Amino acid sequence: MTVRPAAVAGTWYPGLAQALTRDVDGYLNAVAETSIGRVTALIAPHAGIMFSGPVAAFAYKAAARSRYDDVVLVGPSHFVGFEGVALYPEGAFDSPLGRAPINSVLASRVAASPVVRSMPSAHGREHSLEMQLPFLRHLLSEASIVPLLMGYQTRETILALAAALSEALRGTASLLVASSDLSHYFDARTAASLDARVLERVAAFDPEGLLDDFERYPEHERGRYVACGGGPMIAVMMAARALGAVDARVLKYAHSGEVSGDYDGVVGYMAAVMGVFGGEPAGT
């Protein structure tokens, strides 16, 4: 079996199972219980766990009330540039909490789209998916994964991936996860203003509006002003809606300065979920 080794264990998060479990439990225990309904998709950040963990815990605690056979992870590629979406097609991702097996059958269904191709090399150094594993292995340890990295985040790739996910996952008990931080290295007040636009689009379940916002910036600036994983976020929101999600909720917003004490250059983090939660539909 092909196993993708953990790339940032011991640096971005504890490399020992006991220490990692203690940290994850601490973040989860700080989140109040919620009566939210079944979660179809979530958005969670991917910074070092001391920064992103307290935020990601909100999304994962809400999702963990349901059972899933598979978790489809969609994140941005920070180190390798390429067209389309890179799939790690089989084997497992290693972690201190055990290996996360890849559902190769479901992966091949996603790869039926021409925008998705097998490209394990893109995953070697990438942290955006790996930073989801501490919560997934702790809370949803029976679920297999499908790891996907988006290269150049063009409208064509985003729309094609959304269609591929909605087609491949229809009728399955799968959770969609978009991995993304928000604005990067602005002062806290500017970051909050920029990030508020993203939070509003997500809370309104408006991926088309978020895509318009994303495209207002040159491609090389979108990650800084909007979200490094804006493309994955939009594709996952579109796919979730096609799979029956009607509601979206932003559960938590924070920034790195709240941990580091440096408010002059922060990174924004959001936890959000999409599904069927009752009450008024999103955007009404």
Side-chain angles (χ1 to χ4, degrees), residues 14 34 47 95 234:
T34 176
S95 88
I234 296 161

Side-chain angles (χ1 to χ4, degrees), residues 78-79 136 154 183 195 200 220-221 223 225 231 233-234 247 270 280:
H78 288 86
F79 302 108
L136 289 175
T154 64
S183 65
D195 295 341
E200 289 169 5
H220 69 281
E221 292 280 21
Y225 282 87
M233 286 170 53
I234 296 161
D247 304 302
M270 172 184 64
E280 291 296 319

Side-chain angles (χ1 to χ4, degrees), residues 183 187-197 253 255 266:
S183 65
D187 65 86
R189 180 172 295 183
T190 302
S193 177
L194 290 168
D195 295 341
R197 301 176 194 170
Y253 171 75
H255 61 73
V266 307

